[in-house]
Amino acid sequence: MTTATLAGTRSRRITRPLQYVALLAYIIFLGFPLLFLLITAFKTPQELQSPTPAFLPQQFNVDNFTAAIEKANLFQAAGNSLFVAVLTTVIVTVISLPAAYALARFRTRLRGIATGWILLSQVFPFILIIIPLFLVLKQIGLINNLFGLVLVYTVWSLPFALWMLQGYVVGVPAELEEAGAMDGASRFRVLRTIVLPLLAPGLVATSLFTFISSWNEFFFALVLIQDPRLQTLPLTLARFVGAEGQVQLGQLAAASLLATIPSLVFFALIQRRLTSGLMSGAVKG
Amino acid sequence: MRRKALLGIGALAVAGLLGGCAFGGGGTAATSTPDGPVTLTFQSLAYQDSTVAATQKIVDDWNADNPDIQIDLVQGSWDNVHDQLVTQFQGDTAPDIIHDESSDIMGFANQGYLADISPYLSDDVKNAVSDEVWETVTTSDGAIVAAPTLLQSYVVFANTDAFSAAGVTVPDGDSLTWDDLQADAKQLTSNGNFGVGWGLKQPTAAVMNTALGFGGTFFDVADDGSATIDVGEGELAVPEKIHAMVYDDASLDPVSLTQSGSDVLPGFLGGKYAMYIGGNYLAQQITESAPAGFNWTVLPPLAGSDGAAQAANPQTMSVSAQSKYPEQAAKFIDYFMNPENQAALAQGDWLIPASSDARDVVAEQTADVPVWARILKSGENLSGAPFQKATNYPQWKDQYATPGLQQYFSNSIGLDDLKKQLTDGWNSIGG
Amino acid sequence: MTSTAHAVSIPTTPKTEKQGKRGKRPKVGGIHRGGRDAWLLVLPALIPVVLFSVYPLAQGILLGFTDAKAGLNQAVTYNGLDNYTQLLGNELFWNSFRIGLIWAFGVTILQFFCALGLALLLNLDLKLRWLARTLALVPWAMPPVIIAIMWRLMLNPTYGPINGFLRSIGLPGDINWLGDFSTALPAVIVVGVWAGMPQTTVTLLAGLQNVSAELHEAAAIDGASTFRRFWHITLPALRPVIVAITTLDLIWNFNSFALVYVLTAGGPGGQTMLPMLFAYNEAFRYGNFGYAAAMGNVMVIIIAAFLFFYLRSQARSRLS
């Protein structure tokens, strides 16, 4: 045993517990708010207003959930959110697929422009875009209209979807296509039978990601949707916070939990792919 | 070369951008006579269950009786109504019938977004509301841009058990001076409990309204909505009193000043505060969530050196200038204003109807609830205040008055700084 | 809205570019024919982007030089630099700018150190790693509005567990974190850090996994301490990833809106009035559209200038 590794084991004996302490601190910091949200959702108003609150709810009471659904019009909002997110996802996937293929395979000037735009679109504050966008949409009658929102979300999710997807295209070896072409298959056939199946995981990841970002979006919806019946979930929830009246912490927590579930589920589905697949795949080439 | 050509085209396109697009928000819709039934949108801001139900009932009754003018009720929120209306007027998507409050709408009226409804209102409705209150919804050129519905005043709720426990007599009489309030609060403060809890997270409205009791009018408004500000002793009397109760007497809980009225309510119900100051609408929440055996009342109206006056800032019902059917919309408002409807709404929110006929109905219907008499009485002292007509009041309120008052109440600036902030702030947004 | 996503993609950019240069360029078609095909394929994506983001953006920039305002049938005229001279004297705007910078730098820096710590831990073979890893990802999937609601509950002065904890250990437990002048901004920054942890952690973790293990072993055999190995091997290797992620975090944080809108709406007394909130209010509360767009222009210029200097200094120090 060399001195170096010996020193290593000795220092490890000291650092390991410290590492666990740090990890535990992170787990509390990251997890406690979520736990607390969960607990609050099951507490009765009396428990919430008690001057000496107990940490756990006395009983599992689902009144908050039913009340939130009814009062905040959660189902209607969820329906709107779902409509917008699904339609956006479909459109984005359909139009970004060919574009991503082009960006990945033909390294023209387009690629530079696209990269530039993707970065640029991050720098510009939305306030600069929203006012004229509002006017453009007004002229074509899409203010206060879910289709207008779909249009905006499509445009603003597109850069990322494109970028993510073209990463997957790069990951499909061009040699496969060449081989296919040599066998005499038509270009389209090559794409459909060889490239598309290999891209399937990438398409799933991209579309779920688009879904989540549409589902979560707030700013554009805030400005473009004024009819309470057309509100998306984040808008409805933000209103619910502001609503004066009784302290409705429990209902607020319940509504928040319900609204998080879809994106959490989808996220769980792509999480592995996002973190391992995309990361290691794209980073390591 | 190609890049240059592209740039050139781009520049041309950009130059044409703004030209092609008039920015000024949709024009006034040409009023038309409907061929068949029309449907009008009415955005209500009622939020307490009782008032929401009352509003729904009014709309349902109307729809049953008026097949040609159907009202589509949508639910808005007080929280963002101003931003929402700015956006809606700009996007030409405003509801036909708009529920708001007078201090918020006069700016919209000056921008031309609200229709003059005076030709369509019946004499009964006009006569039932005092001229003072009509004044708060009339523009300088005489157009009535809203019907005033319910009024709020700031009242003191008292936990009568806490009073008797501390051996303090519950104030009675026509009014309660701020000095007496302060003295009682001091006596009621002991071992961790405070004499007063006041949810003043949004302090400006409360200060503007109660300042009138000390002759504090803040503004001198010209016909076009521009105004000059004068912040003197009368204007600052109430903030000073609050400050003294918090920092000299420790009888007003400083934390409550950073919270909303509803946030402070549990403290009142739980015995932490013997008195609880807020809008009279909070009475509805007290009745709903008070524990069994909780005894409370409303104290006489707070009075300053000029008596118990407070500013009348009525809730309003307006018709959008962009509405295609202003006459039909105003007809509904006229119906909405009838005494029975107003009385029902008022009781839902524990607010005071602007219409005297409706006040009589409420008094009759609530004869067995003594607290109501006090609440209705507080309405007698409400009169118009200049700030409602100053176009830039909402912006001044957000950007200068609210931060300034909050800082003063958290003891991070002094009275002179507050005065300077209020004055300079108004001047910097161009009055 | 896609901001949540980019963290993953950007660090990969240099690699994929490199790949291209390395000559993986496909021989299908050939460059010239490919060019036209490429345009055709890209067109369906290009048209909406041009119509609904490039065009409005250009119009927005121009709007910043007009006096556009709310009002029925308002005429709009160009007023040159009037908006900007007015902005120069607008104390509230600059104050909001200052708050925006404190917020953006505060969140980005804290987020970076927290995320680096977590990424290093996740890179070790510890028990419970799966739990920390899962929890670290959850904020990513949550709408900012809900994160804000959750933290409002946490920070609630009477009911919130943070005050509850303080009370239980005998400290004053009645602080209204989001309502008090001195605590509002720090509290909001902590929430910002929580919300942005995932992107930063995941990116750094991926970077860590790419650091050559051989170098580490060699250094360990030479007797280099853990800290020295981290400083001399891990950190330099991570550098491009760090630059990319901190740059992006900074931009996103500076432009963020929903989180603080729901947490405090800029209050108390403007203490958390981020520039985006300020400009939003100017446009959609007070109806001064031209003026608000001018604020947007100023924000862009300042961010762009900052990015330019930051990225240039990073590029230089990498060369030297």
Side-chain angles (χ1 to χ4, degrees):
Chain A
M1 201 179 263
T2 63
T3 44
T5 49
L6 197 67
T9 16
R10 197 173 295 149
S11 74
R12 177 165 299 176
R13 218 167 277 149
I14 310 165
T15 50
R16 257 299 125 106
L18 281 180
Q19 285 166 350
Y20 274 106
V21 169
L23 192 69
L24 205 65
Y26 274 112
I27 290 175
I28 291 171
F29 175 59
L30 292 166
F32 185 76
L34 300 167
L35 182 66
F36 186 71
L37 186 71
L38 190 70
I39 287 170
T40 307
F42 288 104
K43 283 191 175 174
T44 61
Q46 286 74 29
E47 284 178 75
L48 288 171
Q49 292 190 8
S50 134
T52 49
F55 182 67
L56 287 174
Q58 252 114 57
Q59 68 214 26
F60 272 95
N61 131 50
V62 291
D63 292 356
N64 287 328
F65 290 89
T66 45
I69 287 170
E70 198 183 305
K71 261 202 183 164
N73 240 339
L74 225 49
F75 279 139
Q76 193 175 42
N80 293 335
S81 275
L82 198 67
F83 173 80
V84 171
V86 167
L87 200 57
T88 304
T89 306
V90 170
I91 298 176
V92 165
T93 311
V94 167
I95 64 180
S96 64
L97 184 60
Y101 181 79
L103 286 187
R105 285 289 189 256
F106 308 106
R107 293 173 182 277
T108 60
R109 199 182 303 141
L110 252 182
R111 198 182 158 79
I113 297 173
T115 319
W117 175 248
I118 289 164
L119 290 173
L120 208 64
S121 65
Q122 294 298 302
V123 179
F124 281 96
F126 282 160
I127 191 73
L128 215 50
I129 295 136
I130 191 65
I131 304 170
L133 192 59
F134 182 84
L135 296 173
V136 173
L137 290 175
K138 178 183 158 188
Q139 280 168 349
I140 53 178
L142 289 180
I143 289 290
N144 207 8
N145 183 316
L146 292 179
F147 288 103
L149 210 54
V150 168
L151 196 62
V152 175
Y153 286 0
T154 300
V155 168
W156 288 98
S157 346
L158 205 57
F160 175 68
L162 211 56
W163 195 246
M164 200 167 152
L165 205 52
Q166 70 87 26
Y168 283 98
V169 177
V170 169
V172 176
E175 290 78 14
L176 281 179
E177 278 177 63
E178 282 158 32
M182 264 172 223
D183 292 346
S186 76
R187 181 88 177 264
F188 180 71
R189 212 184 126 90
V190 170
L191 289 181
R192 198 169 54 88
T193 56
I194 301 175
V195 181
L196 204 57
L198 287 170
L199 275 185
L203 274 176
V204 171
T206 313
S207 52
L208 286 182
F209 216 98
T210 309
F211 180 92
I212 293 172
S213 42
S214 311
W215 181 268
N216 291 355
E217 204 280 337
F218 179 69
F219 182 71
F220 286 123
L222 175 71
V223 177
L224 296 176
I225 300 294
Q226 291 114 27
D227 188 334
R229 287 165 301 193
L230 296 178
Q231 282 177 351
T232 57
L233 266 178
L235 277 184
T236 303
L237 286 168
R239 290 292 151 258
F240 203 40
V241 177
E244 284 191 53
Q246 289 84 341
V247 186
Q248 3 172 268
L249 298 178
Q251 292 174 27
L252 198 56
S256 301
L257 272 183
L258 291 177
T260 316
I261 291 171
S263 52
L264 214 54
V265 169
F266 280 164
F267 200 81
L269 290 179
I270 54 167
Q271 190 257 95
R272 181 171 293 257
R273 194 158 298 288
L274 260 181
T275 52
S276 61
L278 181 70
M279 287 311 303
S280 58
V283 173
K284 287 173 189 157
Chain B
M1 276 314 282
R2 234 175 82 190
R3 181 171 290 177
K4 266 194 185 147
L6 271 177
L7 276 178
I9 293 169
L12 275 178
V14 165
L17 280 178
L18 278 181
C21 155
F23 193 81
T28 320
T31 28
S32 37
T33 354
D35 298 331
V38 298
T39 302
L40 302 171
T41 323
F42 163 33
Q43 174 166 294
S44 157
L45 305 178
Y47 63 93
Q48 310 209 71
D49 293 343
S50 41
T51 329
V52 171
T55 311
Q56 185 68 52
K57 183 175 179 302
I58 296 173
V59 170
D60 290 345
D61 290 351
W62 167 272
N63 282 345
D65 292 346
N66 295 274
D68 286 346
I69 308 174
Q70 290 292 297
I71 301 294
D72 182 13
L73 178 65
V74 296
Q75 186 63 46
S77 147
W78 280 110
D79 220 44
N80 70 323
V81 64
H82 186 88
D83 314 23
Q84 192 193 20
L85 285 174
V86 169
T87 321
Q88 285 177 326
F89 285 132
Q90 200 63 38
D92 217 345
T93 56
D96 299 276
I97 301 157
I98 297 164
H99 179 195
D100 199 353
E101 61 181 352
S102 82
S103 65
D104 199 50
I105 59 164
M106 294 317 277
F108 293 126
N110 292 336
Q111 288 168 340
Y113 284 134
L114 299 178
D116 181 1
I117 55 171
S118 56
Y120 311 121
L121 290 178
S122 64
D123 288 343
D124 283 349
V125 166
K126 283 185 179 165
N127 295 334
V129 176
S130 72
D131 290 348
E132 283 231 294
V133 175
W134 277 120
E135 182 60 22
T136 65
V137 290
T138 308
T139 61
S140 54
D141 49 9
I144 293 179
V145 292
T149 58
L150 302 176
L151 291 155
Q152 173 190 312
S153 67
Y154 288 86
V155 294
V156 185
F157 299 99
N159 175 346
T160 45
D161 296 336
F163 273 72
S164 43
V168 182
T169 17
V170 179
D172 206 353
D174 282 347
S175 65
L176 170 70
T177 65
W178 284 88
D179 292 337
D180 290 343
L181 173 79
Q182 185 177 13
D184 286 347
K186 218 167 159 179
Q187 275 187 282
L188 288 160
T189 301
S190 65
N191 48 36
N193 292 338
F194 291 91
V196 180
W198 191 348
L200 266 188
K201 189 181 181 186
Q202 298 297 339
T204 312
V207 167
M208 299 301 289
N209 285 19
T210 50
L212 224 52
F214 292 90
T217 51
F218 285 90
F219 298 107
D220 191 11
V221 186
D223 277 353
D224 62 350
S226 68
T228 53
I229 193 167
D230 180 20
V231 182
E233 243 169 63
E235 281 77 8
L236 295 174
V238 172
E240 234 185 315
K241 183 64 80 185
I242 293 172
H243 194 272
M245 288 171 74
V246 175
Y247 296 102
D248 300 344
D249 302 353
S251 62
L252 202 171
D253 181 9
V255 175
S256 73
L257 292 181
T258 64
Q259 295 176 290
S260 75
S262 318
D263 289 340
V264 179
L265 181 59
F268 176 61
L269 299 179
K272 190 175 171 193
Y273 310 120
M275 291 185 277
Y276 171 51
I277 304 182
N280 40 10
Y281 70 92
L282 290 165
Q284 174 65 21
Q285 292 176 31
I286 297 178
T287 51
E288 273 176 25
S289 37
F294 183 81
N295 295 308
W296 62 284
T297 187
V298 170
L299 299 185
L302 280 167
S305 53
D306 274 22
Q310 287 189 27
N313 179 15
Q315 293 186 21
T316 53
M317 294 281 282
S318 308
V319 175
S320 161
Q322 295 164 338
S323 168
K324 276 195 218 139
Y325 307 109
E327 188 179 346
Q328 286 78 357
K331 257 190 201 155
F332 171 73
I333 292 181
D334 199 66
Y335 171 75
F336 195 80
M337 284 297 288
N338 83 33
E340 286 70 33
N341 290 338
Q342 288 299 300
L345 290 167
Q347 289 177 62
D349 264 349
W350 289 71
L351 292 174
I352 306 150
S355 146
S356 58
D357 295 347
R359 278 203 296 275
D360 295 343
V361 176
V362 174
E364 201 180 298
Q365 289 173 349
T366 60
D368 52 340
V369 189
V371 177
W372 256 109
R374 278 268 165 78
I375 287 189
L376 286 176
K377 193 168 164 48
S378 72
E380 288 167 14
N381 306 307
L382 296 174
S383 59
F387 71 87
Q388 291 156 335
K389 298 210 155 182
T391 304
N392 284 338
Y393 170 73
Q395 184 172 1
W396 175 77
K397 175 181 148 190
D398 287 359
Q399 293 190 330
Y400 296 97
T402 301
L405 288 165
Q406 284 171 335
Q407 277 171 294
Y408 177 63
F409 289 148
S410 68
N411 213 13
S412 46
I413 60 170
L415 197 65
D416 290 337
D417 294 325
L418 173 64
K419 186 174 167 175
K420 189 168 147 41
Q421 276 196 27
L422 297 178
T423 314
D424 293 355
W426 181 259
N427 295 331
S428 78
I429 51 175
Chain C
M1 58 175 287
T2 53
S3 67
T4 44
H6 285 264
V8 184
S9 72
I10 299 305
T12 72
T13 317
K15 299 280 180 176
T16 39
E17 290 294 346
K18 218 183 282 168
Q19 233 171 47
K21 280 177 201 147
R22 236 184 258 144
K24 260 199 175 176
R25 182 174 292 166
K27 287 143 205 129
V28 194
I31 276 222
H32 290 286
R33 220 198 91 202
R36 186 169 305 161
D37 280 3
W39 277 101
L40 220 62
L41 288 170
V42 168
L43 215 56
L46 196 63
I47 291 173
V49 167
V50 169
L51 282 181
F52 298 102
S53 63
V54 179
Y55 170 79
L57 193 58
Q59 215 185 12
I61 294 170
L62 286 183
L63 199 64
F65 297 89
T66 69
D67 62 355
K69 252 190 194 96
L72 209 53
N73 304 321
Q74 283 271 346
V76 176
T77 52
Y78 282 94
N79 60 0
L81 295 176
D82 284 5
N83 287 336
Y84 301 90
T85 46
Q86 201 189 335
L87 257 185
L88 270 182
N90 189 338
E91 236 174 86
L92 288 179
F93 175 70
W94 294 111
N95 193 33
S96 142
F97 217 94
R98 185 182 59 83
I99 292 166
L101 290 178
I102 295 176
W103 149 269
F105 279 97
V107 174
T108 306
I109 292 169
L110 286 174
Q111 208 167 54
F112 170 69
F113 285 112
C114 286
L116 184 62
L118 182 58
L120 287 169
L121 287 173
L122 291 181
N123 204 26
L124 297 171
D125 193 21
L126 297 177
K127 283 174 194 123
L128 284 182
R129 190 171 62 158
W130 62 272
L131 179 61
R133 189 188 146 96
T134 313
L135 287 176
L137 286 170
V138 168
W140 203 339
M142 291 174 80
V145 170
I146 290 177
I147 295 178
I149 291 175
M150 187 176 74
W151 280 93
R152 278 174 65 117
L153 295 177
M154 290 285 293
L155 295 165
N156 184 302
T158 42
Y159 168 64
I162 292 178
N163 275 349
F165 174 72
L166 289 180
R167 270 193 294 269
S168 72
I169 58 168
L171 289 170
D174 59 353
I175 305 165
N176 188 358
W177 297 95
L178 294 171
D180 193 287
F181 273 65
S182 52
T183 56
L185 187 56
V188 165
I189 288 177
V190 169
V191 181
V193 171
W194 192 91
M197 281 284 281
Q199 293 95 311
T200 319
T201 309
V202 167
T203 313
L204 290 173
L205 184 59
L208 278 178
Q209 285 166 349
N210 266 0
V211 174
S212 143
E214 294 98 53
L215 267 181
H216 258 282
E217 274 160 30
I221 289 168
D222 288 349
S225 71
T226 318
F227 178 76
R228 283 180 63 89
R229 272 181 284 152
F230 172 75
W231 192 256
H232 290 289
I233 299 170
T234 312
L235 218 50
L238 268 186
R239 187 164 187 147
V241 176
I242 292 175
V243 172
I245 191 66
T246 48
T247 310
L248 283 165
D249 276 346
L250 197 74
I251 300 172
W252 295 332
N253 288 328
F254 194 75
N255 286 339
S256 77
F257 180 85
L259 199 64
V260 180
Y261 179 87
V262 176
L263 273 174
T264 61
Q271 289 297 299
T272 57
M273 189 63 79
L274 304 185
M276 265 293 278
L277 285 168
F278 192 86
Y280 170 83
N281 283 342
E282 196 64 45
F284 295 102
R285 270 188 85 75
Y286 316 129
N288 299 322
F289 298 105
Y291 196 42
M295 291 175 187
N297 284 339
V298 171
M299 282 160 68
V300 171
I301 290 172
I302 294 181
I303 299 173
F306 169 78
L307 285 182
F308 176 76
F309 287 116
Y310 179 60
L311 294 177
R312 197 179 61 169
S313 74
Q314 287 301 325
R316 273 199 188 149
S317 61
R318 198 154 65 172
L319 286 177
S320 60

